[in-house]
Each structure stands twice: as structure tokens, then as C-alpha cells.
Amino acid sequence: MNDESQNKMGSPTPEELREQVERTRDELGQTVEALAGKADVKAQAKEKTAAAKKQAAEKSAELKEQAAEKTAAARDQATEKAAAVKEQAAEKSAELKVQAAEKTAAVKEQAAAATAQIREKTAQAAQAVKDKTPEPVQEKTAQAATQVRESAARAGQFAVDRTPDPLLEKADRAAKTARANRTPLLAGGALLVAFLLIRRGRGGNK
């Protein structure tokens, strides 16, 4: 068997070997390129993921900062508004107190003036009745007033003896109030007694 037949039966020729090497080289190049492309895609994905995480963190920090600023601003506004409301309420309360004090003073002044006028008119009326009343009638009026006081004193003592203590305390307070206005009441009583005596005297004269 010669060399040519052996080449045909088994061993490749140098040309075939070169072709095989070229093909293998091409395949390896393609494989390397494919692997490099895959590695590059993974790296890019990692870079994109890292960039997205960084952007998310920055955005979150920015939002937190904005929220904190808005909260602080709202808190400051609420504090200022509450202070303004308190100040307005204090001013209004002071104004109402002043108005109430002025009204109370005005009412007291009017009451004092009215009381003075009543006392003056009562005194004038009593004096006029006294001037127009004859002396005998005046004496009878004085006697009648004395009798009325004595009868009232006896009736009062009788009532005191038979009245429980709580009622006595209430009566004492009422008496103090009456004594405070005693002058107008006595003058009115005197006028009433004098008027009755004058009518009685005129009726007797007829």
C-alpha cells in the first residue's frame, strides 16, 4: 500500500489540517466574542442596577428632606396661628372686661342718682305734708306711728319666740336689707298714715 492510498484511507492532508485549524480558530473567535458579549451585558446590567439603586436612594433622601421641610413649615404655621388666636382671645377678653366694668359703673351711678332723687322727693313730699298738716294731726300721726312700732315690736317678739332658728336667720338677713332702705320706707309709711289721718279728719269735719 503506497503513501497516496494511506492519505486517502486515514491521515488528513496538510491542506485539510489547515482548513480544520482555520475553522477551529473561527469557532473559537465566535465563542470568545459571544462570551465577551455576555460578560459585557452582565456588566452593563450590574451598572444599570447600581445606577438605579443610587437614583432611588437619592430620590428617597430628597423626598424625605422635602417632607421634613414641609412638616417643619406646617408646624411653624400652626404655632404662629395658635399664638395669634390666643392673643386675639386675650385682647377680646380684656375688651369685654373693660366694657363690663364700664357698664357696671354706669349702672351703679344711675342707681345712686335714682336713689338720691327718690330720697330727695320723699323728703320734699314729707316736708310738704308736714307743712300742710295741722299740729293736732301731726301729734296723732306721731302717736299712731308709735303705736304701730310698739305693735310691730310685740308681734315681732312673738314671732321670734315661735319661729325656728333657720327662719330667724333668713328673717335677720331680710331685716338688714330693709334697714338699708329704711329711710324711703319710713317716709312712705309716714306719708300714708298722714294721708289717712287727714282723710279721717276731713270726714269728721263734714
Side-chain angles (χ1 to χ4, degrees):
M1 202 177 279
N2 54 19
D3 295 335
E4 187 176 353
S5 61
Q6 288 179 357
N7 289 336
K8 289 181 180 179
M9 294 291 298
S11 300
T13 62
E15 291 181 0
E16 292 176 348
L17 289 175
R18 282 195 297 271
E19 290 178 359
Q20 291 179 0
V21 169
E22 290 294 333
R23 284 196 301 272
T24 303
R25 185 181 298 169
D26 291 337
E27 291 176 356
L28 288 174
Q30 292 176 1
T31 303
V32 170
E33 288 180 359
L35 291 173
K38 289 181 180 180
D40 186 46
V41 169
K42 288 182 179 180
Q44 289 179 359
K46 287 182 179 180
E47 289 179 358
K48 288 180 179 180
T49 302
K53 287 183 179 180
K54 184 178 180 181
Q55 289 179 356
E58 291 176 353
K59 190 67 176 179
S60 177
E62 184 180 355
L63 292 175
K64 286 182 179 179
E65 186 177 357
Q66 291 177 356
E69 290 177 355
K70 289 181 179 179
T71 302
R75 196 175 296 165
D76 292 340
Q77 290 179 356
T79 303
E80 292 176 358
K81 193 170 184 178
V85 170
K86 286 183 179 179
E87 186 177 356
Q88 290 177 357
E91 291 177 355
K92 191 66 177 178
S93 177
E95 183 179 353
L96 291 176
K97 286 181 179 179
V98 171
Q99 291 178 357
E102 290 177 352
K103 288 182 179 179
T104 301
V107 169
K108 286 183 178 179
E109 185 177 353
Q110 291 175 359
T115 302
Q117 289 179 359
I118 291 172
R119 288 178 180 174
E120 184 178 354
K121 289 181 179 180
T122 302
Q124 290 174 358
Q127 186 63 38
V129 171
K130 186 176 179 181
D131 293 340
K132 293 180 180 180
T133 303
E135 290 184 1
V137 176
Q138 291 183 14
E139 292 177 0
K140 289 182 180 181
T141 301
Q143 292 174 1
T146 302
Q147 291 176 0
V148 169
R149 283 197 297 271
E150 291 176 354
S151 299
R154 286 194 297 271
Q157 186 62 42
F158 179 77
V160 168
D161 294 337
R162 294 180 177 274
T163 303
D165 291 339
L167 293 178
L168 287 175
E169 292 177 359
K170 291 183 179 180
D172 182 59
R173 289 195 293 270
K176 289 180 180 178
T177 303
R179 282 197 296 271
N181 299 320
R182 182 173 55 187
T183 300
L185 291 175
L186 289 177
L191 288 173
L192 179 60
V193 171
F195 177 72
L196 292 174
L197 290 174
I198 291 171
R199 286 189 61 183
R200 183 180 299 176
R202 288 180 179 176
N205 289 334
K206 289 181 180 179

